[in-house]
Amino acid sequence: MGSSKSSLRHIPNAQELIQDTGFSAAHIQRLYERFDLLDRDQMGRLRVPDFEAISHLAMNPIGDRIIAAFFSPGKDTVDFPSFVRILAHFQPTDDNRTRDSSGKEPYNSPNRKLQFAFQLYDQDGDGKISRAELLQVLQEMLGMQVTDELLQSIAERAIQEADLDQDDAISFDEFKKCLEKVDIDQKMRIGFLS
Amino acid sequence: RDSLFPSSAAHSPPAGYPSILLLNSSPPTNTSRLVLCPPRRKCSIPGPSDHETNHTALTNGTAHQKKAFPVLDLNYEHVHAPFEISLWVLLASLMKLGFHLIPRLNNIVPEKKVPPVMNADVFFLCLLPPIILDAGYFLPIRPFIENIGTILMFAVIGTLWNTFFIGGLLFAVCQINPGYTMDLGLLPCLLFATIISAVDPVAVLAVFEEIHINELLHILVFGESLLNDAVTVVLYHLFEEYAGAGTVTVLDGFLGIICFLVVALGGVLVGAIYGILAAFTSRFTSHMRVIEPLFVFVYSYMAYLSAEMFHLSGIMALIACGAVMKPYVEANISHKSHTTVKYFLKMWSSVSETLIFIFLGVATVDGTHHSWNWIFVTATVILCLIARVIGVIGLTYLMNKVRIVKLTTKDQFIIAYGGLRGAIAFSLGFLLNEEHFPQKKMFLTAIITVVFFTVFVQGMTIKPLVELLAVKKKQEAKRTINEEIHTQFLDHLLTGIEDICGHYGHHHWKDKLNRFNKKYLKRYLIAGTRCEEPQLLSFFHKMEMKHAIEQVEKGGGSNVPSALPSTVSMQNIQPKKPTVEPERMLPKLPKGKEDEIRNILRTNLQKTRLRLHSYNRHTLVADPFEEGISDIILRKRVIQKQKSLNTHINNYLTVPAAPPDTPVMSRARLASDPQARGAKYNADNVPTFQVDLASPQSPDSVTLLNELKKVEDQGLMMKAPSSKSMEGERDQQKLTRCLSDPGPSADEDEDEPFLK
């Protein structure tokens, strides 16, 4: 992209972000431009309306959840580092970077990816997907076309299938187990971030 | 393939062998018809004029001389053509049966009766389309589209590379080794290389079906074999046209590229148009269900013929037609039509394939076509192999830079090894004009050698090699509902993230296509309210059906409520299963809920389709919607309801992993062949009624039905609110039975002895 290190100077903490997330300088630059574009009132932070302005996202059944995932609990704005960190989840898995400098698991490991997805289901943050939460997701995805009873049957079946410890909810481990046959790396990756 | 309808003179068969010809429509009395026209016997073409002349001759004859009235007469000429065709089809099918009973090499040469010589037109117009349509209709679209880039690279660039490499080096070999038979110009060499370098879909299908390789490799090789047809067509015409002229200029090359685009895209366009037409037609067939399969076949065949007419790629047209029409047609046509289409396609393609290989075998043995030349043939075989290997390695290296899922060395080896040549190459060679290409016989010999080498040597050894290299096999696709839900969720998630990033990636376009599909196409092409049904829902219904079947298979007895003591058999069947079950007990659904679920499922069950990955010809997984299954499901639901009313035993919804196909296969056998039932078919888990008493393991579906019937008759355990629904179900059941293919009589007859 022709962006040298110097152009990253106006991006706060660029170097730190590069190291933390594994993005290249070019990626950071590109994401910053995108961030800037979305940030309509140029405050350096994104708010919910900024996200909702993306037309396609409005058509997405789970658009609201995705937007909510960017915001840390309790805060109503997203700054650039958080933006980048969330998007770092969608990089392809890099087998070499098993542990980064701070000893945490890198953002784009399959485990972290799954955790991110899990959080989208688990709105109340109790670490489990309860029946109600699952029902909500199904309702959003299947929309108006389906009766409630059918939704409940589907949710019922899903929980029965996955719930190994009989607590009527799907924990993170059970969630992981469901998806063990699915190639998470391939499913949760954005092309241009590779 | 150049001249579709040649006059019979151009392909005069060797003396003594009848051949199958297609007459064109020039003589007014003879419309295009299949006629067997052996050179020795008089061509007896049934037509009005002929009948008249015969008649007048007869009357003339009787005027002169009264013959005795023939009591028994032989008139073979009259049924000549259809008789021999049918005989060949029958022979092919019997041989196919034989191979499955006695595993032997597919190498039988028919007796010296009347071995037919394969005519290129027969091949391209009759034998090839069923196979390609079968492949196209059941093409797994998603992996195909995901890998389309790689497939196109292999098909186009790979074939081009093969052609020029082999052609060039053969020319060099010829130059080194001059001799009359080897005096080949560059263009004939290139033409020959074109013919020999295309990977053949028929051969690939035949071989890859057996080895159950993972989906990615299968679709790569198979997709390549389908799409390289366009390249072959263009190059073939190009070289053939200019072989006479002697040179190919740059302009010709440039025109060739344009021609390629026209051929490929034109073929796809023609196919897509016919596909849309077929889909649209199927929207209105709800009153004439019987002819629905006909539309599918005829539209596809017309697509193929139209494309061939304009020298476009017929194979691509056929694939496009099948792929485009399938989702809409499947939503519109009835269960039975769907089954018919599936089975007919499999049947025709199966017979076609066998016939092709028989003809190939015959052509091999038939010496008049051959002219063996050691150097040429061996050079061809070796060059083919080398070209393929280098081509695959080079292209994979390039593609791996762009691909998400990289191709490993093992994958590359399988792709290279799976580049089989087949009958298309032979037929193209056969079509060569001998005047322009005096070395035609040498070509044919070389082609046959390569074909045999690839199909037999490579084809037979690929299976042990796959085992040896531990290549990933096809996953037994037993998806759970969770997987389905979560993968859809992830799809939405990824689309959303892509939107946030402003990146128009994979998911974005897929989403857009889905939206377009839903908004415009589905509305016009799918009848009624079916267009609204989301995929998740159909998946859920499919799961319910499968589990229901497994339930019945596994232990229908355990579902029988203990309060049905009417028949001794019932009690024996029901095991006293203690609560220490290895399976999980699922939480009890409230009674009202279960009713509702049952009602919903019942109303929805009849509407949903099962989309089966039926691209394996030999193991067609049964469609659980076939006769009787829905009855069983309804019965099962009733039993469940009974159970919960009387006891507190929970539903068993988990089943141990049953062997993938067997219960369903046996179900297919049962369901589709009532005579088998009647004849007390003693296969794996289909015991007769008597035996079944003691073993709760595998209830015969029929017995369960019959028992329930008896129970109904005796009016046991039917509480008032449920009896109405029972009746409703019974009526529904009767209705489905009346409409079912095996015929009510077969079922009814069976009922009597069991109940007595």
Side-chain angles (χ1 to χ4, degrees), chain B residues 659-678:
Chain B
D661 282 348
T662 331
V664 193
M665 279 299 286
S666 64
R667 191 72 42 202
R669 267 179 252 131
L670 275 182
S672 56
D673 187 4
Q675 300 313 316
R677 261 187 286 189

Side-chain angles (χ1 to χ4, degrees), chain A residues 23-42:
Chain A
F23 278 127
S24 71
H27 286 147
I28 300 279
Q29 176 73 21
R30 194 160 163 186
L31 287 174
Y32 189 73
E33 283 169 12
R34 181 68 182 169
F35 185 82
D36 216 22
L37 191 68
L38 291 175
D39 187 8
R40 283 180 307 169
D41 44 8
Q42 291 294 312

Side-chain angles (χ1 to χ4, degrees), chain B residues 21 66 204 417 514:
Chain B
L21 300 174
K66 190 168 158 110
V204 165
Y417 208 67
N514 277 335

Side-chain angles (χ1 to χ4, degrees), chain A residues 145-158:
Chain A
Q145 304 154 339
V146 185
T147 60
D148 274 340
E149 302 104 344
L150 203 47
L151 283 179
Q152 291 207 2
S153 325
I154 298 178
E156 183 68 41
R157 165 59 63 88

Side-chain angles (χ1 to χ4, degrees), chain B residues 378-636:
Chain B
T378 44
T380 311
V381 174
I382 295 176
L383 283 175
C384 277
L385 289 174
I386 298 179
R388 177 82 181 157
V389 171
I390 300 180
V392 167
I393 293 181
L395 283 174
T396 320
Y397 175 72
L398 285 175
M399 286 313 292
N400 270 345
K401 299 197 171 165
V402 191
R403 278 181 66 90
I404 297 179
V405 177
K406 316 280 183 204
L407 294 173
T408 65
T409 319
K410 260 193 280 186
D411 294 337
Q412 289 175 38
F413 177 73
I414 296 292
I415 296 174
Y417 208 67
L420 309 174
R421 278 44 167 197
I424 292 187
F426 182 71
S427 309
L428 282 178
F430 206 78
L431 266 179
L432 286 175
N433 193 332
E434 193 133 15
E435 293 149 18
H436 288 162
F437 301 100
Q439 311 88 357
K440 175 174 164 178
K441 291 194 176 160
M442 190 168 67
F443 285 173
L444 282 180
T445 314
I447 293 174
I448 286 206
T449 315
V450 173
V451 168
F452 268 71
F453 183 79
T454 53
V455 170
F456 286 115
V457 174
Q458 284 179 232
M460 288 199 316
T461 53
I462 199 169
K463 187 155 191 183
L465 274 174
V466 162
E467 304 281 339
L468 193 69
L469 292 176
V471 178
K472 252 195 307 185
K473 291 262 187 112
K474 183 152 63 175
Q475 266 181 334
E476 296 303 324
K478 196 165 180 183
R479 288 187 94 176
T480 61
I481 186 100
N482 271 296
E483 263 183 46
E484 186 70 25
I485 296 177
H486 298 317
T487 41
Q488 274 209 16
F489 186 83
L490 288 176
D491 276 338
H492 287 304
L493 172 64
L494 262 287
T495 313
I497 296 285
E498 276 186 3
D499 291 328
I500 292 179
C501 292
H503 173 62
Y504 288 143
H506 198 54
H507 288 89
H508 180 89
W509 293 117
K510 216 182 337 181
D511 199 48
K512 259 206 155 128
L513 187 66
N514 277 335
R515 264 184 237 285
F516 172 72
N517 195 9
K518 194 177 267 189
K519 199 163 164 204
Y520 296 111
L521 296 179
K522 279 193 179 172
R523 216 189 308 162
Y524 296 120
L525 298 177
I526 298 186
T529 53
R530 298 289 323 284
C531 45
E532 301 285 313
E533 189 176 86
Q535 188 205 347
L536 187 59
L537 217 51
S538 28
F539 185 81
F540 176 63
H541 291 320
K542 180 166 61 167
M543 297 260 346
E544 281 289 296
M545 293 293 280
K546 265 200 211 149
H547 276 247
I549 294 169
E550 282 167 349
Q551 269 300 100
V552 173
E553 278 288 309
K554 169 185 88 92
S558 59
N559 282 342
V560 174
S562 55
L564 280 177
S566 58
T567 50
V568 176
S569 52
M570 292 291 269
Q571 253 182 346
N572 287 349
I573 285 182
Q574 185 214 355
K576 298 287 186 255
K577 282 208 172 163
T579 46
V580 269
E581 283 288 359
E583 297 120 357
R584 292 185 326 201
M585 308 284 259
L586 297 162
K588 172 170 179 271
L589 291 177
K591 167 188 159 194
K593 256 311 157 22
E594 208 184 328
D595 264 344
E596 288 166 35
I597 293 181
R598 194 164 57 75
N599 281 332
I600 295 160
L601 283 172
R602 187 180 356 128
T603 49
N604 282 314
L605 276 175
Q606 305 292 338
K607 294 185 200 159
T608 318
R609 285 281 176 280
L610 203 60
R611 289 214 191 125
L612 295 176
H613 292 303
S614 314
Y615 51 85
N616 185 323
R617 201 169 296 144
H618 298 296
T619 54
L620 275 179
V621 176
D623 185 348
F625 282 97
E626 281 176 31
E627 297 13 289
I629 298 298
S630 41
D631 305 337
I632 302 171
I633 308 306
L634 299 174
R635 294 293 185 188
K636 181 228 168 197

